[in-house]
Amino acid sequence: MIEIKNLKKFYGERTVLDIPELIINDGEMLALAGANGSGKTTLLKILGGIIKASEGSLSVSENILYMPQNSYAFRGDLIKNILVGGADRSKALELLEKLELSHLADKKAKSLSGGELQRLSLCRVLSKKCDVLLLDEPTSACDAKGAELVIKAIKEYQSESGCTVIMSTHSPMLALNASDRLIILNGGRIESDGSPEETLANPETQWAKSFAAGWKI
Ligand SMILES: Nc1ncnc2c1ncn2[C@@H]1O[C@H](COP(=O)(O)OP(=O)(O)OP(=O)(O)O)[C@@H](O)[C@H]1O
Ligand SMILES: [Mg+2]
Protein backbone atom coordinates (compact mmCIF):
# COMPACT_ATOMS: atom_id res chain seq x y z
CA MET A 1 0.00 0.00 0.00
CA ILE A 2 1.17 3.51 -0.78
CA GLU A 3 0.18 6.09 1.79
CA ILE A 4 0.54 9.84 1.36
CA LYS A 5 -0.23 12.35 4.10
CA ASN A 6 -0.13 16.14 3.85
CA LEU A 7 2.27 15.99 0.92
CA LYS A 8 3.36 19.35 -0.45
CA LYS A 9 5.91 20.50 -2.98
CA PHE A 10 6.93 24.15 -3.21
CA TYR A 11 9.07 25.87 -5.78
CA GLY A 12 9.85 29.23 -4.25
CA GLU A 13 6.52 30.78 -3.30
CA ARG A 14 4.59 28.40 -5.54
CA THR A 15 2.84 25.30 -4.28
CA VAL A 16 2.83 22.85 -7.17
CA LEU A 17 1.54 19.83 -5.22
CA ASP A 18 -0.79 19.69 -2.22
CA ILE A 19 -2.27 16.30 -1.35
CA PRO A 20 -3.75 16.00 2.17
CA GLU A 21 -4.32 12.25 1.91
CA LEU A 22 -4.00 9.54 -0.71
CA ILE A 23 -3.98 5.77 -0.37
CA ILE A 24 -3.13 3.55 -3.30
CA ASN A 25 -3.73 -0.15 -2.76
CA ASP A 26 -1.42 -2.93 -3.90
CA GLY A 27 -2.14 -4.05 -7.44
CA GLU A 28 -4.10 -0.94 -8.34
CA MET A 29 -3.78 0.54 -11.83
CA LEU A 30 -4.06 4.26 -11.38
CA ALA A 31 -4.12 6.91 -14.10
CA LEU A 32 -3.15 10.48 -13.25
CA ALA A 33 -4.65 13.10 -15.53
CA GLY A 34 -4.72 16.88 -15.50
CA ALA A 35 -3.60 19.83 -17.59
CA ASN A 36 0.03 20.69 -18.32
CA GLY A 37 1.67 21.81 -15.10
CA SER A 38 -0.96 20.23 -12.83
CA GLY A 39 1.67 18.23 -10.92
CA LYS A 40 1.56 14.73 -12.46
CA THR A 41 5.30 14.44 -13.07
CA THR A 42 6.06 16.04 -9.71
CA LEU A 43 3.95 13.42 -7.92
CA LEU A 44 5.53 10.54 -9.87
CA LYS A 45 9.03 11.88 -9.19
CA ILE A 46 8.30 12.15 -5.46
CA LEU A 47 6.89 8.60 -5.42
CA GLY A 48 9.97 7.38 -7.31
CA GLY A 49 12.37 9.13 -4.95
CA ILE A 50 13.78 11.29 -7.76
CA ILE A 51 12.87 14.49 -5.93
CA LYS A 52 11.89 15.13 -2.32
CA ALA A 53 8.60 16.50 -1.07
CA SER A 54 8.81 19.83 0.75
CA GLU A 55 6.42 18.65 3.48
CA GLY A 56 4.45 15.61 4.50
CA SER A 57 4.95 11.88 4.67
CA LEU A 58 5.04 9.10 2.13
CA SER A 59 5.23 5.37 2.61
CA VAL A 60 6.00 3.35 -0.49
CA SER A 61 7.86 0.14 -1.38
CA GLU A 62 11.53 0.51 -2.24
CA ASN A 63 11.21 -1.76 -5.25
CA ILE A 64 10.08 0.87 -7.75
CA LEU A 65 10.63 1.29 -11.46
CA TYR A 66 10.20 4.70 -13.06
CA MET A 67 9.85 5.58 -16.73
CA PRO A 68 10.43 9.31 -17.26
CA GLN A 69 8.33 11.58 -19.45
CA ASN A 70 11.26 12.16 -21.82
CA SER A 71 12.56 8.94 -23.31
CA TYR A 72 16.31 8.56 -23.78
CA ALA A 73 18.66 6.19 -25.54
CA PHE A 74 22.10 5.01 -24.54
CA ARG A 75 24.80 4.41 -27.14
CA GLY A 76 24.48 1.03 -28.88
CA ASP A 77 21.72 -1.09 -30.32
CA LEU A 78 18.24 -1.71 -28.92
CA ILE A 79 19.18 -4.96 -27.19
CA LYS A 80 22.10 -3.28 -25.41
CA ASN A 81 19.72 -0.50 -24.36
CA ILE A 82 17.46 -3.01 -22.64
CA LEU A 83 20.26 -5.11 -21.10
CA VAL A 84 21.45 -1.92 -19.37
CA GLY A 85 18.36 -2.37 -17.17
CA GLY A 86 19.69 -5.73 -15.97
CA ALA A 87 17.48 -7.99 -18.10
CA ASP A 88 18.60 -11.24 -19.63
CA ARG A 89 18.84 -11.45 -23.39
CA SER A 90 15.81 -13.68 -23.89
CA LYS A 91 13.64 -11.26 -21.88
CA ALA A 92 14.95 -8.35 -23.98
CA LEU A 93 14.09 -10.19 -27.21
CA GLU A 94 10.64 -11.11 -25.90
CA LEU A 95 9.88 -7.47 -25.05
CA LEU A 96 11.16 -6.19 -28.40
CA GLU A 97 8.84 -8.68 -30.06
CA LYS A 98 5.91 -7.61 -27.89
CA LEU A 99 6.46 -3.91 -28.64
CA GLU A 100 7.04 -4.69 -32.36
CA LEU A 101 10.62 -3.46 -32.40
CA SER A 102 12.32 -6.79 -33.30
CA HIS A 103 13.06 -5.66 -36.84
CA LEU A 104 15.15 -2.80 -35.39
CA ALA A 105 16.88 -4.86 -32.67
CA ASP A 106 20.42 -4.37 -33.98
CA LYS A 107 19.98 -0.73 -35.01
CA LYS A 108 21.38 2.20 -33.04
CA ALA A 109 18.86 3.23 -30.40
CA LYS A 110 19.75 6.89 -30.94
CA SER A 111 18.40 6.62 -34.50
CA LEU A 112 14.87 5.61 -33.42
CA SER A 113 11.80 7.75 -34.06
CA GLY A 114 10.08 9.33 -31.05
CA GLY A 115 7.39 6.66 -30.82
CA GLU A 116 9.88 3.82 -31.31
CA LEU A 117 12.13 5.30 -28.63
CA GLN A 118 9.24 5.51 -26.19
CA ARG A 119 8.42 1.84 -26.78
CA LEU A 120 12.11 0.97 -26.24
CA SER A 121 12.05 2.94 -23.01
CA LEU A 122 9.09 0.83 -21.88
CA CYS A 123 10.95 -2.39 -22.82
CA ARG A 124 13.86 -1.27 -20.61
CA VAL A 125 11.54 -0.73 -17.65
CA LEU A 126 9.45 -3.88 -18.14
CA SER A 127 12.57 -6.03 -18.35
CA LYS A 128 12.87 -5.83 -14.57
CA LYS A 129 10.60 -6.80 -11.67
CA CYS A 130 9.08 -4.31 -9.26
CA ASP A 131 6.34 -3.74 -6.69
CA VAL A 132 5.46 -0.27 -8.01
CA LEU A 133 5.64 0.77 -11.66
CA LEU A 134 5.63 4.52 -12.36
CA LEU A 135 5.07 5.56 -15.97
CA ASP A 136 5.09 9.21 -16.99
CA GLU A 137 2.90 9.56 -20.11
CA PRO A 138 3.88 6.16 -21.56
CA THR A 139 1.89 6.61 -24.79
CA SER A 140 2.50 10.33 -25.45
CA ALA A 141 4.72 9.78 -28.51
CA CYS A 142 2.87 6.72 -29.85
CA ASP A 143 0.51 6.40 -32.79
CA ALA A 144 -2.75 4.50 -32.27
CA LYS A 145 -1.19 1.09 -32.93
CA GLY A 146 1.84 1.88 -30.76
CA ALA A 147 -0.41 3.02 -27.91
CA GLU A 148 -2.34 -0.26 -28.12
CA LEU A 149 0.90 -2.26 -27.90
CA VAL A 150 2.05 -0.22 -24.91
CA ILE A 151 -1.27 -0.63 -23.09
CA LYS A 152 -1.27 -4.38 -23.73
CA ALA A 153 2.32 -4.75 -22.49
CA ILE A 154 1.61 -2.74 -19.31
CA LYS A 155 -1.52 -4.80 -18.56
CA GLU A 156 0.30 -8.09 -19.11
CA TYR A 157 3.19 -6.99 -16.89
CA GLN A 158 0.73 -6.00 -14.15
CA SER A 159 -1.29 -9.18 -14.30
CA GLU A 160 1.87 -11.35 -14.22
CA SER A 161 3.51 -9.46 -11.36
CA GLY A 162 0.56 -8.06 -9.41
CA CYS A 163 2.46 -4.78 -9.02
CA THR A 164 0.89 -1.38 -8.49
CA VAL A 165 0.90 0.79 -11.63
CA ILE A 166 0.69 4.57 -11.55
CA MET A 167 0.78 6.33 -14.89
CA SER A 168 0.24 9.90 -15.92
CA THR A 169 -1.55 10.50 -19.18
CA HIS A 170 -3.36 12.89 -21.50
CA SER A 171 -4.93 9.89 -23.24
CA PRO A 172 -8.54 8.92 -22.54
CA MET A 173 -7.75 5.54 -24.10
CA LEU A 174 -5.04 4.80 -21.53
CA ALA A 175 -7.24 6.00 -18.66
CA LEU A 176 -10.22 3.95 -19.77
CA ASN A 177 -8.51 0.83 -21.11
CA ALA A 178 -5.67 0.29 -18.69
CA SER A 179 -6.73 1.77 -15.35
CA ASP A 180 -9.17 0.92 -12.61
CA ARG A 181 -8.84 4.33 -10.96
CA LEU A 182 -8.50 7.85 -12.35
CA ILE A 183 -7.27 10.85 -10.40
CA ILE A 184 -7.55 14.26 -12.00
CA LEU A 185 -5.10 16.87 -10.69
CA ASN A 186 -5.70 20.58 -10.96
CA GLY A 187 -3.03 23.00 -9.78
CA GLY A 188 -1.41 20.28 -7.69
CA ARG A 189 -4.63 19.28 -5.92
CA ILE A 190 -6.83 16.22 -6.41
CA GLU A 191 -9.91 17.44 -8.20
CA SER A 192 -11.52 14.06 -8.76
CA ASP A 193 -10.82 10.46 -7.74
CA GLY A 194 -12.79 7.37 -8.80
CA SER A 195 -13.30 4.77 -11.48
CA PRO A 196 -12.38 6.15 -14.93
CA GLU A 197 -15.83 5.42 -16.40
CA GLU A 198 -17.67 7.04 -13.48
CA THR A 199 -15.31 9.99 -13.24
CA LEU A 200 -15.57 10.81 -16.90
CA ALA A 201 -19.32 10.18 -17.16
CA ASN A 202 -20.24 12.00 -13.91
CA PRO A 203 -17.45 14.41 -13.00
CA GLU A 204 -17.62 15.49 -9.35
CA THR A 205 -16.86 19.16 -9.84
CA GLN A 206 -17.50 21.82 -12.47
CA TRP A 207 -13.79 21.89 -13.24
CA ALA A 208 -13.62 18.09 -13.71
CA LYS A 209 -16.69 18.36 -15.92
CA SER A 210 -15.01 20.77 -18.30
CA PHE A 211 -11.85 18.66 -18.21
CA ALA A 212 -13.82 15.51 -19.15
CA ALA A 213 -15.57 17.45 -21.90
CA GLY A 214 -12.13 18.35 -23.29
CA TRP A 215 -11.46 14.61 -23.54
CA LYS A 216 -14.58 14.33 -25.72
CA ILE A 217 -16.00 11.44 -23.70
N1 LIG B 1 12.42 22.31 -10.92
C1 LIG B 1 11.37 23.13 -10.96
N2 LIG B 1 11.47 24.41 -10.61
C2 LIG B 1 10.40 25.25 -10.64
N3 LIG B 1 9.15 24.86 -11.01
C3 LIG B 1 9.00 23.57 -11.37
C4 LIG B 1 10.09 22.64 -11.37
N4 LIG B 1 9.61 21.44 -11.76
C5 LIG B 1 8.31 21.62 -12.01
N5 LIG B 1 7.94 22.89 -11.78
C6 LIG B 1 6.59 23.43 -11.94
O1 LIG B 1 5.69 22.60 -11.26
C7 LIG B 1 4.45 22.52 -11.96
C8 LIG B 1 4.05 21.08 -12.13
O2 LIG B 1 4.93 20.49 -13.05
P1 LIG B 1 4.77 18.99 -13.55
O3 LIG B 1 5.96 18.69 -14.40
O4 LIG B 1 4.54 18.13 -12.38
O5 LIG B 1 3.44 19.07 -14.42
P2 LIG B 1 2.72 17.94 -15.28
O6 LIG B 1 1.34 17.79 -14.74
O7 LIG B 1 3.57 16.74 -15.33
O8 LIG B 1 2.60 18.63 -16.71
P3 LIG B 1 2.74 18.00 -18.21
O9 LIG B 1 1.37 17.51 -18.59
O10 LIG B 1 3.13 19.20 -19.02
O11 LIG B 1 3.80 16.98 -18.20
C9 LIG B 1 4.65 23.25 -13.29
O12 LIG B 1 3.99 24.49 -13.26
C10 LIG B 1 6.16 23.42 -13.39
O13 LIG B 1 6.49 24.64 -14.04
MG1 LIG C 1 4.55 15.75 -16.81
Side-chain angles (χ1 to χ4, degrees), residues 110-201:
K110 285 187 186 288
S111 68
L112 292 178
S113 76
E116 289 164 350
L117 182 59
Q118 190 167 43
R119 279 183 278 144
L120 175 65
S121 180
L122 186 73
C123 289
R124 193 186 290 132
V125 171
L126 298 189
S127 70
K128 291 196 279 182
K129 293 199 166 100
C130 71
D131 296 329
V132 178
L133 181 63
L134 305 173
L135 305 168
D136 201 345
E137 298 198 26
T139 60
S140 59
C142 295
D143 62 17
K145 176 76 193 307
E148 249 176 60
L149 294 172
V150 166
I151 289 173
K152 189 163 173 271
I154 295 169
K155 285 169 92 165
E156 281 176 10
Y157 181 91
Q158 196 284 331
S159 69
E160 280 163 21
S161 69
C163 71
T164 306
V165 181
I166 307 174
M167 49 203 160
S168 76
T169 187
H170 293 289
S171 156
M173 188 168 92
L174 188 63
L176 286 164
N177 294 352
S179 325
D180 40 45
R181 182 174 174 190
L182 171 65
I183 286 181
I184 303 177
L185 289 173
N186 177 24
R189 292 168 189 271
I190 293 178
E191 186 79 33
S192 176
D193 181 358
S195 82
E197 296 77 13
E198 214 177 284
T199 304
L200 293 172

Side-chain angles (χ1 to χ4, degrees), residues 23-156:
I23 289 172
I24 303 164
N25 293 311
D26 291 343
E28 220 163 25
M29 290 191 83
L30 170 67
L32 287 175
N36 292 142
S38 57
K40 303 180 296 296
T41 295
T42 304
L43 177 55
L44 289 174
K45 282 185 176 170
I46 291 173
L47 287 167
I50 314 267
I51 60 171
K52 284 204 160 75
S54 308
E55 281 181 13
S57 68
L58 165 69
S59 103
V60 60
S61 156
E62 280 178 10
N63 187 8
I64 298 173
L65 291 173
Y66 168 72
M67 177 173 147
Q69 185 164 358
N70 299 315
S71 303
Y72 55 86
F74 298 107
R75 216 176 289 162
D77 63 21
L78 274 62
I79 296 177
K80 194 172 165 199
N81 264 263
I82 300 175
L83 297 182
V84 148
D88 61 49
R89 201 178 165 82
S90 63
K91 186 74 192 167
L93 293 172
E94 180 197 318
L95 283 161
L96 285 172
E97 176 89 39
K98 199 176 273 190
L99 275 302
E100 295 192 3
L101 291 169
S102 298
H103 61 296
L104 300 169
D106 59 355
K107 298 279 179 290
K108 285 182 183 164
K110 285 187 186 288
S111 68
L112 292 178
S113 76
E116 289 164 350
L117 182 59
Q118 190 167 43
R119 279 183 278 144
L120 175 65
S121 180
L122 186 73
C123 289
R124 193 186 290 132
V125 171
L126 298 189
S127 70
K128 291 196 279 182
K129 293 199 166 100
C130 71
D131 296 329
V132 178
L133 181 63
L134 305 173
L135 305 168
D136 201 345
E137 298 198 26
T139 60
S140 59
C142 295
D143 62 17
K145 176 76 193 307
E148 249 176 60
L149 294 172
V150 166
I151 289 173
K152 189 163 173 271
I154 295 169
K155 285 169 92 165
E156 281 176 10

